[in-house]
Amino acid sequence: MKRIAQFIILLVLFSLSIKATPTIEKPKQEHPTAFAIITDEQTYVNCQPAISQYRDAVEQDGLSTYIIYDMWENPMAVRNAISNLYQTCPSLEGIVLVGDIPVAMIRNAQHMTTAFKMDEDKFPIRESSVPSDRFYDDLHLQFRFLKQDESDKALFYYELTEESPQHLHLNFYSARIRYPQSMGGNKYEAISAFLIKAAKAKDEMRNDKLDQVVSFHGSGYNHDCLTVYMDEEKAYHENFPLAFSTGTSFKHLNFRMLNPMKYKLLDEVGRKGIDLFMFHEHGTPTQQLINDPVIGNSSATRYELIKSHLYYLVRSSVEEEKRDKDSLMVALQKQYNLLPAFFDDFDNPAYWEKEKNSGGMSENIEISISDLKNREYNARMVMFDACYNGSFQDSAYVAAYYLFQPGNTLICQGNTRNVLQDRWTIEMVGLLSHGFRVGQYNRLIATLEGHLLGDPTVHFCPITANTLPQEVLLKADDESFWKEQLQSEYADIQCLALRKLSDIDTKKTQSAFFLNQFKESRFNTVRMECFNILARYANTDFTEAVRLALQDPYERIARSAAIYAGRIADSSLIKPLIKAMMEDEDRLRVQYAIKNSIHFFQEGLIVKAIEDYFHTANRIDSKKECEEIIKSIHEDFAIYQEVNNVIFDKESSEKKKMSQIRMIRNNPWTNRVDKFLSYIGNNEHPLALRIAMAEALGWFNNSMCRQDIIRSCNELLNTNLPEKLHAELRQTINRLQSF
């Protein structure tokens, strides 16, 4: 009967597809805001009961829900259908893309990512493009179609046009429910099972408040700085007011606690009752990087590490290369002067069981997809700060192994490309404590590479009843309403109100207001939100905020200030920057940012500021310390001067020059802007290098010379330039003007 029913549905779909228009099932219930399930025909045919059950549950939860399906030929067909729906339903707050929805691979938009800077000309097109559903949820952006991938027909390449808006401004939120090939089995059964799980969870979570949270910091994350790790609790107390009621309702884990840590983490994320699990770590598409390798700090541990290494060498050589075990052992005994008894444990199962749990093998310092199979995960939401863990375009990705397994995990947040460590990863996350849907929160912190995987309509029961999740859309432009919310006792509601007020301030006249909020707020997260908002204004009020923020008690704010100080490059920031460098030594990531920022200023001014500091400092052997620091400063400046010399050296190869010009994107040397602009206008330089230089200037959005760059680029447009260079200059101007 099931096959007959599917056959009938296929016949209906075939007749509808002749019309070449998507099929739209309208909502069954009316609510103030709406949601849409976008799927392909095959997924609809095979998962229709589960899709309908999920739709009904979402509607019962307060969202009018559309279902749209078709035999999508390309991403633009999907985008057009979504755009048409949005035109008729402006209260659309989000979408979910279920099944085999085409993937847009974005190019010419790396400035919308946090860290991805791969050379699009040098590297293969698949690796150098960004898989991004901003193609679907930010309808302001304009794209130029390039081609379909030759081997993976689900991937389509587009580039951002020069005239497009150059910054993200999402119309609504989105998420993916995409089953990876690596998990095997029947993908339609897996998708159906997930949708049914998500539907049932709506009732289960009706009274579930966000009061069970786990946060984990992995090895190598933020310089392994303990101040970063400890300071995050200042924010967590503000984000999750209910999660600190007992000693176990909030767990703040660190890789140093155990080696291997992965089994502890897998137990925790599988623990029933967990609401939110945050992984702050490094990663790959198929791995979460957890611990450092075990260090041999005694003769006994060094012996065990050597033994482990050689045992694994033999085992892998036998299994993968089909080498003879005995002859290999004899060769290793001879090479390392080992006694035959060294390999006595090789065939002992007890040794391998002990080794599995000891952390001695490299497999134990990471969580791989093989570890994630056949387990139950119960954290309702899992956040992956890592690079690549959300790579839904691949045949295997970490996030899927949390979603499509038994348990209660409904939504993951992950990245399709590498991601910057120094971004504020927990911005606005406290809105989840107030009943906001995960999609609504994620829309506020969107990047080109950042995505939701799973059900974006998930939400927890609010601390106190409120209607803010609807009003964030329905009262988006109501200035008086959002000013009222600044009186809230909760930090994240104040953060949201500040963000909405900054969005309303389209003429950018209210920076003094946000600076005052920054100065007066007792909340760490509110000050950080004000700081981020002021960065949009890029004026003297922001420069003043940077000066104050360098001494802020919240490490995250001080670190951002240290980064922005160099990008602004106003000489008034040199003195507070040097003071922080000398007196804030325990905040390792702040120190790292300061040392990167110093070389954006004039060398002589930096040296004088250091000398002035030591002139009044009460430090032991200050003269010697001052001399050593200045010597180091001279060495650093010499290195960066060499970088710039290569660009202008007639004897340097074009390849070397291109490499150094690309470095400018992450190193906006404000004091060299005139030389960079002159380079663009000089037709003696190769066109490719002039285009790269024009693009690099688009990264000077915080520079005190930003307006000068815009004016000079406009003047260059009035000269006789090749079309490609003309287009790049237009895009740079667009980026700097719309910042």
Side-chain angles (χ1 to χ4, degrees):
M1 289 297 294
K2 182 178 179 182
R3 288 187 176 181
I4 294 173
Q6 288 185 353
F7 179 73
I8 293 171
I9 293 174
L10 278 171
L11 285 176
V12 173
L13 292 177
F14 177 76
S15 63
L16 290 172
S17 66
I18 297 174
K19 301 176 184 178
T21 58
T23 300
I24 301 176
E25 293 185 10
K26 293 186 177 181
K28 297 165 68 177
Q29 298 183 26
E30 291 293 327
H31 294 288
T33 55
F35 181 69
I37 302 166
I38 315 296
T39 189
D40 61 282
E41 286 191 356
Q42 284 297 322
T43 299
Y44 182 83
V45 168
N46 287 277
C47 304
Q48 191 273 331
I51 291 172
S52 295
Q53 185 175 341
Y54 173 65
R55 184 266 316 277
D56 293 345
V58 172
E59 291 205 318
Q60 283 294 114
D61 199 42
L63 288 174
S64 300
T65 303
Y66 295 82
I67 299 174
I68 302 177
Y69 56 90
D70 200 357
M71 294 178 62
W72 308 110
E73 294 184 357
N74 53 56
M76 191 56 72
V78 183
R79 191 180 205 239
N80 289 338
I82 295 170
S83 179
N84 290 338
L85 175 62
Y86 184 65
Q87 294 300 318
T88 60
C89 181
S91 64
L92 183 73
E93 73 167 49
I95 62 172
V96 63
L97 307 170
V98 182
D100 297 321
I101 302 299
V103 178
M105 306 287 286
I106 308 302
R107 301 176 68 76
N108 194 36
Q110 292 183 6
H111 52 284
M112 294 181 182
T113 70
T114 61
F116 188 70
K117 301 293 184 290
M118 187 178 288
D119 191 328
E120 293 182 349
D121 296 323
K122 182 178 179 181
F123 291 90
I125 189 169
R126 177 166 180 152
E127 284 72 27
S128 61
S129 303
V130 181
S132 182
D133 285 339
R134 301 297 82 81
F135 186 89
Y136 296 123
D137 58 30
D138 191 336
L139 301 177
H140 306 91
L141 301 179
Q142 300 172 29
F143 297 99
R144 184 182 299 116
F145 176 67
L146 298 177
K147 69 173 186 176
Q148 185 177 14
D149 193 88
E150 295 173 2
S151 58
D152 188 343
K153 298 303 182 181
L155 308 184
F156 294 78
Y157 298 96
Y158 293 84
E159 65 178 4
L160 190 73
T161 68
E162 296 76 25
E163 283 70 30
S164 169
Q166 301 294 310
H167 300 279
L168 297 173
H169 185 61
L170 276 61
N171 298 82
F172 37 77
Y173 58 79
S174 71
R176 282 259 179 183
I177 300 174
R178 193 169 198 255
Y179 189 75
Q181 182 181 353
S182 63
M183 292 189 73
N186 186 306
K187 66 179 178 181
Y188 299 118
E189 291 179 1
I191 291 172
S192 291
F194 176 81
L195 291 171
I196 292 169
K197 175 172 70 170
K200 290 180 178 179
K202 298 301 180 191
D203 282 333
E204 298 168 0
M205 294 183 66
R206 202 167 301 280
N207 297 308
D208 181 12
K209 295 187 176 182
L210 183 49
D211 56 5
Q212 297 289 326
V213 180
V214 180
S215 175
F216 169 70
H217 277 240
S219 170
Y221 194 79
N222 285 328
H223 270 74
D224 294 336
C225 179
L226 283 171
T227 305
V228 172
Y229 164 70
M230 293 185 296
D231 251 25
E232 286 303 271
E233 276 209 32
K234 295 177 181 177
Y236 291 146
H237 277 275
E238 297 170 6
N239 298 142
F240 313 116
L242 302 180
F244 291 86
S245 57
T246 71
T248 58
S249 55
F250 184 93
K251 290 190 177 183
H252 202 183
L253 306 179
N254 190 283
F255 76 95
R256 295 175 177 88
M257 293 176 174
L258 197 62
N259 197 344
M261 191 73 179
K262 79 173 182 180
Y263 301 106
K264 167 72 172 175
L265 296 175
L266 290 172
D267 286 344
E268 283 293 319
V269 78
R271 181 160 57 92
K272 284 185 170 30
I274 296 295
D275 296 317
L276 172 63
F277 199 111
M278 296 179 287
F279 284 103
H280 307 294
E281 61 191 9
H282 294 293
T284 72
T286 58
Q287 294 174 319
Q288 297 173 254
L289 308 183
I290 304 301
N291 283 102
D292 284 326
V294 175
I295 299 174
N297 52 12
S298 69
S299 58
T301 56
R302 283 192 286 271
Y303 174 80
E304 290 300 325
L305 286 172
I306 293 170
K307 184 175 179 179
S308 173
H309 171 72
L310 293 180
Y311 273 39
Y312 276 99
L313 176 62
V314 172
R315 191 167 82 168
S316 63
S317 297
V318 171
E319 293 177 354
E320 298 173 15
E321 302 174 23
K322 309 304 180 185
R323 297 182 63 178
D324 180 70
K325 178 182 70 174
D326 294 330
S327 61
L328 184 57
M329 287 180 178
V330 170
L332 290 172
Q333 289 169 23
K334 182 177 181 181
Q335 181 178 354
Y336 293 105
N337 296 316
L338 303 172
L339 296 174
F342 179 85
F343 287 106
D344 282 355
D345 283 328
F346 186 84
D347 293 317
N348 182 359
Y351 171 82
W352 291 105
E353 183 63 28
K354 178 183 176 183
E355 180 69 6
K356 178 180 177 181
N357 298 305
S358 70
M361 60 182 181
S362 62
E363 288 90 338
N364 270 341
I365 67 174
E366 64 200 26
I367 296 174
S368 67
I369 57 174
S370 60
D371 298 311
L372 296 172
K373 291 179 180 178
N374 304 316
R375 286 179 177 269
E376 182 176 299
Y377 302 102
N378 286 303
R380 294 292 191 181
M381 176 179 176
V382 182
M383 176 193 294
F384 301 102
D385 282 348
C387 305
Y388 298 105
N389 281 175
S391 297
F392 62 80
Q393 78 283 358
D394 290 343
S395 61
Y397 64 100
V398 163
Y401 283 77
Y402 286 82
L403 292 172
F404 295 106
Q405 304 224 52
N408 297 316
T409 297
L410 302 170
I411 186 75
C412 293
Q413 183 187 60
N415 300 288
T416 58
R417 290 294 184 233
N418 60 307
V419 65
L420 189 70
Q421 287 187 69
D422 287 314
R423 69 194 178 104
W424 187 21
T425 58
I426 57 172
E427 181 179 10
M428 297 282 188
V429 71
L431 291 176
L432 301 180
S433 295
H434 302 284
F436 280 72
R437 301 183 192 277
V438 175
Q440 292 176 306
Y441 141 71
N442 195 71
R443 179 187 174 190
L444 294 165
I445 50 94
T447 63
L448 196 66
E449 73 276 15
H451 291 81
L452 291 179
L453 296 313
D455 175 14
T457 68
V458 169
H459 68 92
F460 298 94
C461 179
I463 296 173
T464 56
N466 68 80
T467 54
L468 281 171
Q470 288 184 353
E471 288 162 338
V472 73
L473 179 63
L474 302 179
K475 295 190 176 183
D477 299 322
D478 189 337
E479 183 176 358
S480 61
F481 174 80
W482 294 112
K483 284 189 174 180
E484 289 175 11
Q485 306 313 308
L486 292 177
Q487 306 307 312
S488 172
E489 63 180 299
Y490 298 110
D492 282 272
I493 291 179
Q494 289 190 27
C495 287
L496 174 64
L498 289 162
R499 174 73 72 81
K500 302 305 289 184
L501 288 169
S502 70
D503 290 342
I504 292 169
D505 183 26
T506 56
K507 295 183 179 180
K508 294 190 175 182
T509 61
Q510 298 299 313
S511 61
F513 167 79
F514 295 107
L515 178 60
N516 187 60
Q517 295 289 317
F518 172 78
K519 290 177 179 178
E520 293 189 353
S521 180
R522 63 184 175 88
F523 289 121
N524 298 284
T525 51
V526 171
R527 292 198 308 280
M528 184 64 202
E529 187 62 37
C530 288
F531 188 86
N532 278 357
I533 289 170
L534 285 163
R536 297 182 179 185
Y537 289 84
N539 60 10
T540 55
D541 284 333
F542 180 48
T543 301
E544 173 64 6
V546 170
R547 184 185 68 79
L548 296 170
L550 283 165
Q551 299 296 319
D552 197 274
Y554 182 26
E555 186 275 348
R556 175 65 268 188
I557 293 176
R559 193 193 329 166
S560 291
I563 294 169
Y564 277 112
R567 294 180 183 176
I568 297 170
D570 189 314
S571 58
S572 67
L573 296 173
I574 293 176
K575 183 177 178 180
L577 197 64
I578 297 303
K579 178 179 172 63
M581 182 180 78
M582 300 308 304
E583 299 178 1
D584 204 4
E585 296 173 282
D586 292 334
R587 303 206 276 199
L588 302 182
R589 197 68 183 177
V590 174
Q591 288 294 308
Y592 174 78
I594 290 172
K595 288 171 183 176
N596 281 343
S597 286
I598 281 175
H599 67 267
F600 296 131
F601 297 88
Q602 292 183 24
E603 183 176 2
L605 295 178
I606 293 293
V607 170
K608 185 178 185 306
I610 294 171
E611 292 172 339
D612 290 345
Y613 176 85
F614 278 98
H615 182 70
T616 57
N618 182 22
R619 297 171 74 97
I620 298 173
D621 205 359
S622 61
K623 182 179 179 181
K624 181 180 179 182
E625 185 181 5
C626 180
E627 290 173 351
E628 290 176 349
I629 290 173
I630 290 175
K631 179 183 177 184
S632 176
I633 293 295
H634 286 319
E635 291 172 351
D636 287 344
F637 268 88
I639 293 171
Y640 288 108
Q641 183 60 51
E642 181 60 30
V643 168
N644 281 274
N645 287 344
V646 167
I647 296 172
F648 296 95
D649 183 5
K650 293 183 179 180
E651 303 302 319
S652 297
S653 68
E654 184 172 337
K655 182 178 179 180
K656 285 184 177 180
K657 289 180 179 181
M658 179 64 79
S659 176
Q660 303 308 329
I661 290 173
R662 290 180 62 81
M663 278 188 63
I664 296 171
R665 306 195 305 174
N666 286 334
N667 296 275
W669 286 291
T670 291
N671 56 3
R672 297 186 175 96
V673 163
D674 289 343
K675 294 184 71 175
F676 297 156
L677 287 164
S678 176
Y679 193 95
I680 296 170
N682 188 342
N683 57 19
E684 293 181 3
H685 299 301
L687 177 60
L689 299 182
R690 296 165 68 195
I691 292 171
M693 184 66 81
E695 185 212 5
L697 286 175
W699 262 265
F700 284 63
N701 47 10
N702 293 110
S703 171
M704 58 184 296
C705 294
R706 181 168 64 102
Q707 293 300 330
D708 294 333
I709 296 171
I710 293 172
R711 182 171 56 255
S712 296
C713 287
N714 274 314
E715 291 173 357
L716 284 168
L717 288 180
N718 294 324
T719 62
N720 187 20
L721 298 174
E723 176 52 35
K724 286 187 177 181
L725 178 55
H726 200 277
E728 195 65 60
L729 283 168
R730 295 199 309 272
Q731 185 167 14
T732 289
I733 293 168
N734 198 354
R735 286 169 58 184
L736 296 177
Q737 283 180 332
S738 61
F739 179 69

